Amino acid sequence: MRSLYVRYFLFLLVTLSCSVSGFAKKIQVCHDCSIISIKQAIQQAEEGDTIVVKQGTYYENEILIDKSLTLLSEDASVDGQDKGEIFIVKADDVTIDGFTIVNVGTSYIKDFAAIRIRESKNFAVRNNIIRNLFFGIYLEKSKDGIVENNKIYGKAKNEFNSGNGIQLWYSNNVIIKSNYVEKVRDGIYLEFSNYCQIEDNVSQYNVRYGLHFMFSNHDVVKNCKYIHNGAGVAIMFSKYMTMTDNLFEDNWGSAAYGVLLKEVNDTEINYNTFKGNTTAINIEGSNRVTYLHNDFIGNGWAINSNGANYHNIVNYNNFSNNSFDLVYRGPLNHNNFDSNYWSGYTGYDLNKDGIGDVPYRPIKLFSYIVNKTPESIILLRSLFIDIIDFSEKVSPIFTPDNLVDNTPITKYIKHDKDR
Amino acid sequence: MLKILKYSFYDLIRSRWSYIYLLFYLLLGIVLLFLNSDIGKAIITLMNVIIVLVPLISTIFGVMYYYDSREFTELLLALPLKRSTIFFGQYLGVALSLSMSLIIGLGIPFLFYGLLASGVIINFLLLIVTGVFLTFIFSAFSYCIGLKNENKIKGFGYSILLWLFLAIIYDGVLLTVLIVFGEYPLENITLIGTILNPIDLSRILILLRLDISALLGYTGAVFKSFFGNGVGSIISFFILLLWVVFPLFLLRKFAKRKDF
């Protein structure tokens, strides 16, 4: 009788424990545990399990995650010993959270990444710190995921032997939020990736671009900071993009831009701040782009329009103390430069409606001279240059005479920041 | 020398012209700040003023004072004093009083406007320092011109010409050279060209702070190393110092040879 009870009890225990493990098991990895490597833990885990990696350094690479797992780290760091990729995800619903990942190998044939997510859905990469990397987080044909709060510290010096911080390739609907990337080739790079949201990221001291789009449409960039990059944001061959409330600062150099647009159509660039960049916006072959309520403060060149740009709208922006407000090539092509504030405006406003009574010509003759003989930049703000600029303003010969702001705003425009 | 300096200085401080000069700067500063809500923009306008007007006023004022105090100078020459002492003393008196007008005249309105709280204080100080340098350089030049020319009209003519040449014509010639010889590497020539003109040199010094982002847009290696790190500023300051010494050397030479 008694043995029957025991048997019954045991049966209950077994079924219970089975059902629990079927639900979600927690596997611990640490140096003194029965499982001492992440790979081993993944092998033993089943779909939906959580692997908790305890404090310590784990020398592992090519960690393949082919089940839906949650990997949590408690101060664990993974050292790839420069041998190649570290985490490779090939399953849906995978979370990688809180790891310090160091020493990704460098290869000129393969793009080794600290975390690679391949053909997966609903992934989350959070709170990781990646150092000494080739590529940081590489999303490949994946979608509906989030990359959040990661910090990536590269040491890139040249473009040709460095990788990107966060790279998306054919990955749609990804949220990239609150990440910090420094000193890599491109901070964040999107190729063929649509409907992505890029928010609150900081990208600085990157060798090439802070954020780079290629053939990507319908992406949103919001509240990001791009400081001291080769170019803040480069958008190429893309459509229907939105960029708002970003800061572009001190992107210095002979080919350094706040924003570089090449063949970009139907895009909105509003409420951004451009401060102290060599060129704030460089535009080439871009149509129907609107630039509203941006601040251009103390840049070398605020807008450099390189031709083949049609139907662009530049309204309600502040152009304050830039060395050159506008450089323009070719005919006007239905581009509109009305209703901006120009700190160089010297006209008057008799009826006091805040709109200057005399149209403003934002193009200086000297910008043409600098374009032809770059050394002459050293004569910037010289009295002689002011005199020739003035005479050109009075009777334009070299600059397109229909490129004017017909309704220049006389006071610095206060944008509605909490709209 | 100190006594002569003191005398000249007090003499100038009591003179009408110093007050006019001071008042002019005071007004300029107030108007600039009143018209521009933006202190950064005011500083850029101020830069143009300093680079153009300070040399002009210094030369004219210096020559004027030299001719004005001629009788006093002759009196001093009769005393057992070294010539260089007399002229250096007078020159320093002029330069110092002009610098003081500049500093006070521009300093007061900007201080009241909240210069200390704004982030442009370094730019402002740089402007003032360059202004003082230019005052010293150009009043020395004006004294040289005065010593060389007995004829007042000629003296004034030469000093205006000097200003016109260095402030405007020089840049025109430089630009023409750059455009005409555009196909040759011109970086070094451009840099040397600017160094040889104190007005251009002070302009570069200010540009290095205000327009560094534009200057770095140029690709050349020489420019880059000159503009890129602190080297450019240090070299410019050093050469500006040389520019103060050079006319003083001339002044000494002229004063020695001059037959009164």
Side-chain angles (χ1 to χ4, degrees):
Chain A
M1 195 63 197
R2 199 176 154 194
S3 63
L4 199 77
Y5 268 118
V6 172
R7 253 184 226 168
Y8 180 70
F9 182 73
L10 271 176
F11 172 74
L12 215 98
L13 208 75
V14 169
T15 45
L16 207 76
S17 67
C18 274
S19 67
V20 165
S21 75
F23 194 62
K25 200 165 57 188
K26 217 172 194 182
I27 301 172
Q28 284 205 353
V29 181
C30 66
H31 289 312
D32 322 319
C33 303
S34 56
I35 297 166
I36 53 164
S37 79
I38 303 169
K39 268 187 197 166
Q40 206 182 338
I42 293 167
Q43 248 171 26
Q44 295 190 5
E46 282 164 41
E47 295 275 329
D49 285 358
T50 302
I51 296 173
V52 179
V53 185
K54 297 278 184 186
Q55 196 184 0
T57 307
Y58 299 83
Y59 296 95
E60 293 185 61
N61 58 317
E62 305 275 345
I63 305 169
L64 180 67
I65 305 170
D66 48 4
K67 305 160 191 166
S68 303
L69 297 173
T70 303
L71 273 76
L72 300 177
S73 143
E74 289 176 0
D75 279 335
S77 73
V78 182
D79 188 336
Q81 294 172 296
D82 294 320
K83 281 180 186 156
E85 309 230 278
I86 298 179
F87 286 106
I88 304 158
V89 177
K90 280 188 183 170
D92 297 344
D93 304 297
V94 172
T95 300
I96 299 177
D97 191 333
F99 286 90
T100 302
I101 306 170
V102 294
N103 298 336
V104 181
T106 303
S107 156
Y108 295 102
I109 303 159
K110 280 182 169 176
D111 293 342
F112 288 143
I115 300 172
R116 177 184 295 276
I117 297 180
R118 185 175 284 166
E119 294 169 29
S120 311
K121 278 190 292 190
N122 298 327
F123 54 87
V125 180
R126 285 201 182 93
N127 308 323
N128 299 294
I129 297 169
I130 303 174
R131 283 175 206 278
N132 199 3
L133 61 142
F134 188 46
F135 280 75
I137 300 166
Y138 199 129
L139 315 180
E140 201 182 310
K141 296 196 170 176
S142 303
K143 58 183 174 182
D144 306 321
I146 181 163
V147 177
E148 194 181 5
N149 247 336
N150 300 289
K151 293 189 170 59
I152 301 175
Y153 304 95
K155 286 180 184 164
K157 291 214 169 64
N158 303 305
E159 275 182 30
F160 61 88
N161 61 358
S162 52
N164 303 328
I166 299 171
Q167 170 144 351
L168 278 71
W169 189 67
Y170 281 110
S171 298
N172 298 339
N173 270 328
V174 178
I175 297 170
I176 301 175
K177 206 177 166 190
S178 307
N179 298 289
Y180 175 85
V181 188
E182 69 166 37
K183 292 182 193 154
V184 291
R185 184 173 63 193
D186 288 348
I188 303 168
Y189 177 59
L190 288 85
E191 197 170 342
F192 306 109
S193 298
N194 307 326
Y195 300 102
C196 293
Q197 274 198 49
I198 298 162
E199 279 176 38
D200 303 313
N201 300 293
V202 179
S203 207
Q204 57 186 8
Y205 299 104
N206 295 303
V207 180
R208 200 166 65 182
Y209 305 133
L211 170 61
H212 188 184
F213 293 101
M214 279 288 212
F215 312 104
S216 299
N217 308 324
H218 299 282
D219 297 317
V220 178
V221 185
K222 224 170 155 183
N223 271 331
C224 295
K225 288 189 178 123
Y226 302 96
I227 303 163
H228 274 293
N229 301 295
V233 175
I235 310 182
M236 298 179 182
F237 312 103
S238 301
K239 287 181 286 197
Y240 306 109
M241 313 288 276
T242 311
M243 283 215 289
T244 50
D245 300 292
N246 300 293
L247 171 71
F248 302 88
E249 201 175 344
D250 294 338
N251 297 300
W252 284 353
S254 53
Y257 313 101
V259 173
L260 170 65
L261 301 181
K262 195 178 165 69
E263 313 274 332
V264 176
N265 297 329
D266 304 291
T267 287
E268 284 173 28
I269 298 177
N270 304 338
Y271 295 99
N272 300 292
T273 305
F274 299 86
K275 224 179 200 172
N277 303 291
T278 295
T279 304
I281 302 187
N282 193 67
I283 317 165
E284 227 177 292
S286 299
N287 309 313
R288 298 177 300 282
V289 180
T290 56
Y291 308 86
L292 307 177
H293 294 288
N294 299 293
D295 289 334
F296 298 90
I297 303 164
N299 300 290
W301 287 261
I303 295 184
N304 188 359
S305 175
N306 276 319
N309 303 312
Y310 292 83
H311 294 279
N312 296 295
I313 295 169
V314 181
N315 294 157
Y316 307 110
N317 301 292
N318 287 315
F319 290 88
S320 180
N321 305 332
N322 303 297
S323 306
F324 301 98
D325 287 331
L326 182 61
V327 176
Y328 197 89
R329 281 174 204 90
L332 191 58
N333 296 340
H334 302 281
N335 294 312
N336 182 326
F337 292 94
D338 286 342
S339 299
N340 296 293
Y341 164 78
W342 312 88
S343 66
Y345 183 60
T346 48
Y348 44 82
D349 175 22
L350 285 181
N351 54 358
K352 304 219 167 186
D353 58 352
I355 296 165
D357 300 344
V358 189
Y360 178 69
R361 295 183 178 284
I363 300 188
K364 287 180 187 165
L365 175 61
F366 185 49
S367 65
Y368 282 83
I369 297 172
V370 168
N371 192 35
K372 244 186 108 192
T373 20
E375 290 90 355
S376 62
I377 185 78
I378 209 155
L379 294 172
L380 187 68
R381 294 194 199 285
S382 141
L383 183 58
F384 180 77
I385 298 300
D386 288 351
I387 291 169
I388 60 169
D389 273 344
F390 178 74
S391 60
E392 172 70 14
K393 215 185 239 174
V394 173
S395 58
I397 299 166
F398 298 96
T399 54
D401 60 341
N402 53 352
L403 203 158
V404 288
D405 184 340
N406 292 303
T407 51
I409 309 277
T410 49
K411 283 212 173 84
Y412 197 87
I413 301 165
K414 288 189 177 74
H415 309 303
D416 183 11
K417 284 286 179 194
D418 35 49
R419 43 197 196 285
Chain B
M1 190 165 90
L2 271 178
K3 250 189 191 150
I4 296 168
L5 192 163
K6 218 166 105 187
Y7 177 81
S8 295
F9 187 68
Y10 282 126
D11 180 35
L12 275 164
I13 277 188
R14 268 174 292 153
S15 91
R16 199 162 23 129
W17 284 104
S18 282
Y19 285 107
I20 290 176
Y21 191 47
L22 176 72
L23 217 71
F24 168 74
Y25 275 124
L26 215 64
L27 258 171
L28 183 83
I30 291 167
V31 167
L32 269 183
L33 290 171
F34 180 70
L35 288 181
N36 295 313
S37 46
D38 177 8
I39 199 166
K41 194 183 158 191
I43 281 203
I44 286 179
T45 321
L46 196 64
M47 167 195 158
N48 286 324
V49 169
I50 283 196
I51 276 171
V52 174
L53 285 184
V54 166
L56 179 67
I57 292 173
S58 306
T59 17
I60 300 288
F61 199 86
V63 160
M64 208 167 65
Y65 185 72
Y66 173 82
Y67 289 129
D68 243 21
S69 60
R70 196 180 154 81
E71 280 167 24
F72 174 60
T73 315
E74 275 169 10
L75 181 78
L76 285 176
L77 283 167
L79 299 172
L81 284 170
K82 269 173 81 181
R83 278 189 173 187
S84 55
T85 318
I86 297 170
F87 287 109
F88 277 148
Q90 285 189 347
Y91 154 72
L92 280 178
V94 174
L96 280 178
S97 76
L98 283 175
S99 311
M100 214 180 67
S101 301
L102 177 76
I103 293 169
I104 295 175
L106 287 179
I108 288 175
F110 274 80
L111 269 182
F112 270 106
Y113 200 77
L115 174 76
L116 296 176
S118 71
V120 290
I121 179 130
I122 296 172
N123 294 353
F124 181 77
L125 284 180
L126 181 72
L127 274 177
I128 294 293
V129 169
T130 352
V132 171
F133 263 118
L134 283 173
T135 308
F136 271 78
I137 294 169
F138 279 87
S139 34
F141 271 125
S142 69
Y143 250 72
C144 291
I145 289 170
L147 276 169
K148 267 280 173 197
N149 296 286
E150 286 290 311
N151 187 337
K152 279 187 193 183
I153 304 296
K154 254 189 172 173
F156 276 110
Y158 279 132
S159 45
I160 288 177
L161 203 67
L162 175 79
W163 173 79
L164 203 65
F165 179 74
L166 290 180
I168 303 174
I169 300 170
Y170 190 91
D171 288 349
V173 173
L174 192 62
L175 184 63
T176 319
V177 169
L178 290 183
I179 290 174
V180 171
F181 297 100
E183 277 145 33
Y184 298 90
L186 288 170
E187 279 182 293
N188 285 316
I189 292 170
T190 321
L191 275 183
I192 292 166
T194 32
I195 281 167
L196 289 179
N197 178 350
I199 295 185
D200 274 354
L201 195 61
S202 6
R203 194 168 45 77
I204 294 294
L205 205 56
I206 299 169
L207 281 187
L208 279 173
R209 279 206 65 84
L210 292 183
D211 291 274
I212 184 70
S213 47
L215 290 175
L216 285 174
Y218 181 67
T219 34
V222 179
F223 270 23
K224 207 166 244 172
S225 60
F226 186 77
F227 296 139
N229 29 45
V231 178
S233 297
I234 293 166
I235 292 177
S236 307
F237 255 117
F238 184 70
I239 296 170
L240 214 53
L241 259 173
L242 284 184
W243 264 110
V244 180
V245 177
F246 168 65
L248 284 183
F249 177 73
L250 279 184
L251 179 66
R252 214 178 84 125
K253 206 170 121 194
F254 291 160
K256 256 189 191 161
R257 287 208 191 137
K258 172 93 175 166
D259 192 14
F260 279 93

